[in-house]
Amino acid sequence: MSEVKYNPSIIYGIFDDDDDLLQSAKVFRANRISVANVYSPFPIHGIDPVIGHKRTNVSVAAFVFGATGFSLAVLMIWYMLISDWPINVGGKPNWTFAANFPAFVPVLFESTVFCAAHGMSITYLLLNRLLPGFNPRNPDPRSTDDKFIMEINMSDNWDAKYDEVVYLLKQTGASEIKER
Amino acid sequence: MNYVISNRTRNIFFGLMIVGLASIIYGAVTLNPFGEGHNTTRFWANMFINSFFFMAISLAATFFMAVQYIGQSGWYSAIKRVFEGVSQYIFVGAGIFALVLAGGGHHLYHWQHEGIMDPASPHYDEIIAGKSGFLNLPFFWIATIIYLVGWCAFTWVFRKRSIEEDTIGGTTNHMKNYFMAAWFVVFFAVSSSTSAWHWILSIDTHWFSTMFGWYIFAGMFISGLITIVLFTVYLKSKGFLPGVNENHLHDIGKFMFAFSVFWTYIWFSQFMLIWYANIPEEVTYYLARFESYKGLMLANIAINFVFPFFMLMMRDAKRHAGILAFVGSIIFLGHWSDMFIIVMPGTVGEKLHYGIMEIGTFMFFLGLFLFIVHRSLTKAPTEPKNHPFLEESLHHHI
């Protein structure tokens, strides 16, 4: 069946330099070809608006995780030290939460930070599919070392031609092109 | 481009100063600053709070600038002249503060009473006499002069070289200021703590706290940051800072948020240890404040912590000039009242008054501070020309 033209669905352009990749992404945007994703060993400053990635709502998640940690700690302290078994520490009044509040602040603080930090880490790993058992989305392990990879999804760019994309990638300095 | 004070603004400052000065004169007539007793103390305590608060703001600006020099940071160079402008108040502020210390004397500082360290005297106080190694008049004045002259000298040199840089260019002046900043930070690290012990901790002579220097520093630094934010927002709205965009605001906004939390952290650490240990000679400090200043004390925590914490948590809030200015002006008053709570219970005591003297003194010093800072902003271009990192600052993006 050799009459079907070879038509890969995803094209990867591999760059040696992050700045080349940034300039290349700008060229693609100018040519109305959308870049699906970029894989890089470190964050490339200013790439998000170029490839059309919006700010994530992770900060809202952080607040929610922190608030959860705070509430859980309030519940825990109230049950343990006020409701179930009031403990006399230093002869202070120990039958209300408010009267002992200063002693609880370090616990509340630590619990808030603990939940926010762990919640954020797990959310990050989930969003990026990095937990054990997930298939890695990274197309080439060298992108964790010294290569910068731009992913162009041909199904997003139905009016762009394969040759055009490859030509632009080569023109803008891609050292290697992979297809899938 | 040099900043120009409009006549209307200048009239507002003079109006503040005249009304404030009238209230201070009224206070001087009714309270008699050269007499004895409760009213005299009230006069000097008010002068002390305001002269220290505004001097500390300009000191914080110098410190912040020195930190940026040491860190070789680029983002701040577009607003560098705002830091410098705010720091210029220290020359006037230090002079007034020294006069207040001299005039206040034993009205402010219980340990300066005559005979308090003399075993033969009826006023003898054994605990205070035990602290005479640190709390004695010659050391107090030598140290005061070293702090004030040192801070003024550093501020003057930073400013002078920065303005020189506009004409001669190159990196020579920047590197000189870089080394100077390292010396300043060493000097400031010691003097900010010891000056707080000398001037403010010694008001409550019997009491002591090892966190006190940090506490005063935290309050000073956050007040300075707020002032810088307010001036930046103001100058930008008037079009004098074309290179400043919301990214710069975001950065100082983050500082404002972070140091509000830092202040609370220090405040609470000091409070909690004393509350937990419950030792009589330590607890008196908070007992006096929670008995006669409870409302102000709780409002203080709400304004200085809860309010900025929730208002400035969002990224967009820190990038919005209006929100920053609104939150900033409220916590500015909050930190002024924090200073009020630090000084008043140990000097004036339980019989607290809010009157013409309290409001008028604040107005006078506010007017004077604003006038001097605005005037020093007119003396140099509002954006430095040859700062080595200026280009980086103009393209600052986060």
Side-chain angles (χ1 to χ4, degrees):
Chain A
M1 294 293 180
S2 58
E3 81 275 31
V4 179
K5 199 184 160 199
Y6 177 55
N7 202 8
S9 59
I10 297 174
I11 303 173
Y12 297 109
I14 302 179
F15 292 78
D16 293 337
D17 188 80
D18 56 326
D19 203 44
D20 288 350
L21 187 144
L22 183 60
Q23 299 310 322
S24 172
K26 284 179 183 165
V27 170
F28 274 93
R29 194 177 61 169
N31 283 295
R32 298 181 177 278
I33 298 173
S34 80
V35 177
N37 214 337
V38 163
Y39 300 91
S40 150
F42 52 79
I44 301 173
H45 196 88
I47 192 83
D48 305 26
V50 177
I51 61 172
H53 278 194
K54 294 221 168 59
R55 250 181 79 79
T56 60
N57 284 330
V58 176
S59 48
V60 176
F63 180 77
V64 173
F65 287 129
T68 313
F70 186 86
S71 319
L72 284 178
V74 168
L75 191 67
M76 179 185 81
I77 294 169
W78 172 80
Y79 177 72
M80 285 179 179
L81 296 177
I82 305 292
S83 159
D84 188 46
W85 197 273
I87 295 173
N88 186 335
V89 181
K92 290 186 171 35
N94 57 349
W95 48 84
T96 64
F97 192 86
N100 270 344
F101 183 70
F104 302 154
V105 167
V107 182
L108 295 175
F109 170 76
E110 294 296 345
S111 169
T112 310
V113 172
F114 177 88
C115 287
H118 283 78
M120 288 292 283
S121 305
I122 293 166
T123 310
Y124 172 83
L125 293 173
L126 268 175
L127 281 178
N128 291 313
R129 306 175 62 79
L130 287 170
L131 284 175
F134 281 116
N135 282 330
R137 287 201 299 188
N138 190 353
D140 190 327
R142 287 178 300 164
S143 76
T144 61
D145 185 12
D146 62 345
K147 297 288 180 199
F148 304 86
I149 300 179
M150 192 156 83
E151 175 181 314
I152 291 154
N153 204 332
M154 291 311 282
S155 54
D156 297 344
N157 301 298
W158 53 272
D159 56 345
K161 291 190 187 64
Y162 167 75
D163 297 339
E164 187 190 355
V165 172
V166 172
Y167 174 76
L168 278 177
L169 278 174
K170 283 191 173 152
Q171 278 292 306
T172 50
S175 60
E176 211 179 302
I177 289 163
K178 281 172 88 177
E179 291 151 1
R180 199 176 76 205
Chain B
M1 184 167 26
N2 278 38
Y3 172 64
V4 187
I5 314 181
S6 68
N7 279 334
R8 192 167 148 268
T9 336
R10 191 191 299 265
N11 288 342
I12 292 173
F13 299 155
F14 281 127
L16 275 174
M17 275 194 270
I18 289 165
V19 175
L21 196 63
S23 336
I24 292 177
I25 291 168
Y26 170 79
V29 170
T30 52
L31 302 174
N32 185 16
F34 303 107
E36 283 298 327
H38 174 257
N39 279 344
T40 311
T41 310
R42 185 180 154 202
F43 177 85
W44 288 111
N46 271 303
M47 296 297 281
F48 179 86
I49 292 167
N50 290 291
S51 56
F52 181 80
F53 180 71
F54 286 100
M55 182 186 73
I57 287 175
S58 53
L59 181 61
T62 309
F63 170 69
F64 195 42
M65 198 161 63
V67 171
Q68 305 302 330
Y69 268 121
I70 293 177
Q72 297 274 32
S73 72
W75 70 273
Y76 85 110
S77 54
I79 51 168
K80 184 162 176 283
R81 285 286 145 81
V82 181
F83 291 71
E84 282 173 11
V86 173
S87 72
Q88 295 308 297
Y89 173 76
I90 201 165
F91 304 119
V92 180
I96 297 176
F97 185 67
L99 287 179
V100 171
L101 284 185
H106 69 271
H107 302 298
L108 291 172
Y109 301 108
H110 184 53
W111 58 270
Q112 287 188 2
H113 268 289
E114 258 177 60
I116 204 148
M117 297 185 186
D118 174 13
S121 159
H123 298 296
Y124 179 64
D125 187 321
E126 204 185 332
I127 297 169
I128 297 177
K131 299 185 177 188
S132 62
F134 187 77
L135 294 180
N136 57 70
L137 272 178
F139 184 42
F140 179 82
W141 278 106
I142 291 169
T144 300
I145 288 165
I146 291 174
Y147 306 144
L148 295 179
V149 171
W151 295 338
C152 288
F154 275 109
T155 308
W156 186 74
V157 171
F158 284 139
R159 170 76 164 179
K160 183 172 158 274
R161 287 192 182 148
S162 169
I163 290 178
E164 225 174 61
E165 196 174 55
D166 274 3
T167 49
I168 64 169
T171 52
T172 336
N173 274 19
H174 182 77
M175 289 318 281
K176 278 185 189 164
N177 267 358
Y178 167 70
F179 287 113
M180 194 59 124
W183 285 112
F184 175 74
V185 167
V186 173
F187 177 63
F188 185 76
V190 179
S191 61
S192 69
S193 270
T194 51
S195 68
W197 303 337
H198 260 131
W199 294 338
I200 303 170
L201 184 59
S202 77
I203 287 173
D204 299 271
T205 315
H206 290 129
W207 183 76
F208 56 89
S209 160
T210 46
M211 288 207 94
F212 204 76
W214 286 96
Y215 177 45
I216 297 296
F217 164 74
M220 162 198 300
F221 196 47
I222 177 72
S223 318
L225 285 170
I226 295 163
T227 315
I228 288 160
V229 169
L230 292 178
F231 269 103
T232 311
V233 169
Y234 175 76
L235 287 180
K236 184 163 170 50
S237 75
K238 296 279 171 193
F240 288 103
L241 292 171
V244 172
N245 52 39
E246 68 270 30
N247 296 301
H248 299 91
L249 288 182
H250 190 178
D251 268 348
I252 18 182
K254 276 189 280 193
F255 265 110
M256 211 162 109
F257 176 75
F259 276 87
S260 287
V261 177
F262 177 74
W263 176 87
T264 319
Y265 172 74
I266 298 288
W267 187 94
F268 185 74
S269 303
Q270 180 172 286
F271 170 72
M272 193 190 71
L273 292 178
I274 291 171
W275 174 84
Y276 226 124
N278 213 2
I279 303 170
E281 62 255 38
E282 286 184 348
V283 150
T284 49
Y285 182 81
Y286 284 105
L287 213 56
R289 277 155 184 81
F290 271 106
E291 272 176 0
S292 27
Y293 295 77
K294 193 170 187 181
L296 199 57
M297 196 84 173
L298 296 175
N300 200 23
I301 296 294
I303 293 172
N304 291 340
F305 173 61
V306 182
F307 177 68
F309 184 75
F310 286 106
M311 285 297 284
L312 295 179
M313 192 185 259
M314 299 266 289
R315 183 176 189 262
D316 292 342
K318 290 188 280 264
R319 298 172 75 87
H320 190 283
I323 295 178
L324 275 183
F326 170 67
V327 176
S329 20
I330 288 176
I331 48 180
F332 184 81
L333 294 176
H335 280 283
W336 182 85
S337 75
D338 179 45
M339 202 62 225
F340 192 84
I341 299 172
I342 292 171
V343 174
M344 278 301 183
T347 51
V348 178
E350 290 167 22
K351 286 177 274 174
L352 170 72
H353 298 281
Y354 296 106
I356 292 174
M357 185 69 203
E358 277 71 19
I359 298 163
T361 322
F362 176 67
M363 280 169 74
F364 173 74
F365 279 93
L366 183 69
L368 183 70
F369 176 80
L370 289 175
F371 175 67
I372 287 173
V373 173
H374 277 265
R375 210 190 51 165
S376 57
L377 283 169
T378 60
K379 288 191 176 158
T382 41
E383 275 190 358
K385 279 195 207 88
N386 290 321
H387 192 278
F389 297 121
L390 186 62
E391 204 56 31
E392 184 181 332
S393 184
L394 296 179
H395 296 286
H396 186 50
H397 180 261
I398 43 174

